[in-house]
Amino acid sequence: MTLPATEAAPYAKPPRIGLVDTARGAALIAMATYHFSWDLEFMGYLQPGTAETGWLKIYARAIAATFLFIVGVSLVLASRPDIRWPSFWKRFGMIAAAAVLISAATAYLVPGEWIYFGILHSIAVLSLIGVVFLRLPLPLTLLVTLALLVGWIADIFVMPGVLGSHLFDPKYLAWLGFAATPDRSNDFVPLFPWATPFFLGMSLARLAFRTNLPQRLAALGTGGTWLARLGRHSLAFYLIHQPVLIAIAYGLTFIIAPPKPDPVATYLRQCNTSCTVEQGEAVCRSFCQCTLEQLQAQQLFTLFQAGQVKADDERIMALAGQCSAQIEPELQPEPQQ
């Protein structure tokens, strides 16, 4: 007896959905464009901090969320009708090995901002968590997804930073996502809030298999496009694209020399980018402007920019303390009338 599509779906291997591969390929291209902006900044064509502020910051987060959503969807697709453990562990091993390689390479090249828990680390850990949830009832997955979504929205719009604690600041705990001031990293994708798009993708994919939506999406085709083919080799593209792009950016320096940066603008942008004052950007701007003026008044600015005076110098610590005390009234709530 042949079961209807909606009933047969849970027990049959799903057709390959080319739209998922295409979406993954488009996300890879978007990621490459963002990384190239970072490379141009690194080479001096863009002001320091450009890739980490404004619309580029939103762009980067949207790309990361898209990737993790697709990972959640793909995990469900790859586990129908049953989890294929050899394939799962092979894929997990490749991602984990690539994550370790990225950490080792960045620790050597940029030790001050090395990637200790980036997008690949997050995908590897979430894959382990996700494969457990695939064996649990769907309502439980939906409940966790809802809790993560509410927590993410609250952390952004309602009570920013309320979930953060300095107890989680060390690297061995910061990856959980509750650090108040995590160490700087060129790619930091902690479990919270980034488990949210992953669980959302997994939940929607599991719900879709209770309908004939997978078969309808597979019927759309699009699996033969160059984007889809690129999407089927996402890990290789991820590992190869950045060395190629940074080589291109470096090659440009021999053709068109990057402009000399304004030291004042550079300092203010870097200061505001790394500022971790929880009360918001306005307080950070006040603090950074104050420290700039103090550095200039004490004739330390040029020495500090040149690296001849370090951040732990007593004079730098003293003026930072003065500026913190100066802006402290801004942190106090206004008295009620």
Side-chain angles (χ1 to χ4, degrees):
M1 180 174 116
T2 302
L3 293 172
T6 54
E7 296 180 18
Y11 306 102
K13 183 177 179 181
R16 187 164 194 103
I17 301 176
L19 190 61
V20 174
D21 293 328
T22 301
R24 190 185 299 110
L28 288 170
I29 296 299
M31 175 192 67
T33 61
Y34 172 75
H35 283 169
F36 192 57
S37 71
W38 189 94
D39 297 334
L40 291 176
E41 177 187 322
F42 183 76
M43 292 299 169
Y45 290 100
L46 299 176
Q47 288 291 333
T50 298
E52 299 177 14
T53 55
W55 72 269
L56 279 173
K57 180 179 180 180
I58 298 173
Y59 185 46
R61 292 185 174 185
I63 295 168
T66 301
F67 264 116
L68 291 169
F69 178 85
I70 294 173
V71 170
V73 171
S74 299
L75 182 62
V76 174
L77 292 175
S79 302
R80 308 290 292 196
D82 296 306
I83 299 172
R84 296 185 285 279
W85 289 110
S87 297
F88 172 82
W89 288 118
K90 178 182 178 181
R91 182 176 180 276
F92 171 80
M94 291 172 62
I95 294 173
V100 171
L101 177 63
I102 291 293
S103 290
T106 54
Y108 176 76
L109 296 171
V110 282
E113 297 184 353
W114 68 287
I115 299 173
Y116 57 92
F117 202 83
I119 187 72
L120 291 183
H121 304 72
S122 189
I123 290 174
V125 173
L126 286 171
S127 295
L128 292 177
I129 296 173
V131 82
V132 172
F133 273 85
L134 287 178
R135 304 177 70 86
L136 297 176
L138 176 58
L140 180 59
T141 302
L142 295 176
L143 184 63
V144 171
T145 303
L146 179 61
L148 287 169
L149 191 59
V150 170
W152 194 0
I153 293 173
D155 189 55
I156 295 174
F157 299 108
V158 182
M159 299 175 292
V162 72
L163 297 176
S165 170
H166 291 292
L167 293 175
F168 292 90
D169 285 353
K171 289 185 178 68
Y172 62 86
L173 291 176
W175 63 275
L176 293 171
F178 301 107
T181 54
D183 288 342
R184 291 277 297 167
S185 175
N186 281 325
D187 184 26
F188 185 49
V189 188
L191 291 189
F192 182 83
W194 295 105
T196 309
F198 172 81
F199 268 85
L200 188 59
M202 198 166 61
S203 296
L204 292 179
R206 291 184 66 180
L207 286 172
F209 274 105
R210 299 196 170 201
T211 71
N212 64 349
L213 182 60
Q215 286 75 16
R216 292 171 61 186
L217 291 177
L220 295 176
T222 73
T225 65
W226 68 271
L227 275 177
R229 289 193 293 270
L230 178 63
R232 290 194 283 271
H233 302 283
S234 56
L235 183 59
F237 181 88
Y238 183 88
L239 293 175
I240 294 171
H241 84 283
Q242 184 63 321
V244 172
L245 292 178
I246 203 165
I248 293 172
Y250 177 69
L252 286 176
T253 63
F254 294 97
I255 302 172
I256 304 174
K260 293 183 179 180
D262 178 358
V264 171
T266 297
Y267 171 80
L268 289 175
R269 187 180 291 272
Q270 289 176 332
C271 178
N272 279 284
T273 299
S274 60
C275 179
T276 55
V277 179
E278 297 177 3
Q279 283 71 22
E281 294 183 4
V283 175
C284 287
R285 285 196 297 269
S286 298
F287 175 80
C288 293
Q289 184 63 40
C290 175
T291 55
L292 171 65
E293 294 171 357
Q294 290 287 340
L295 285 167
Q296 291 173 329
Q298 298 181 36
Q299 298 183 342
L300 293 172
F301 180 70
T302 302
L303 296 175
F304 183 71
Q305 288 294 89
Q308 298 176 22
V309 175
K310 304 297 183 182
D312 57 357
D313 187 283
E314 292 183 359
R315 294 166 293 178
I316 303 299
M317 300 291 288
L319 67 85
Q322 292 173 8
C323 288
S324 295
Q326 180 176 321
I327 66 172
E328 187 174 353
E330 300 181 33
L331 309 182
Q332 304 299 327
E334 295 183 3
Q336 296 182 353
Q337 299 297 328

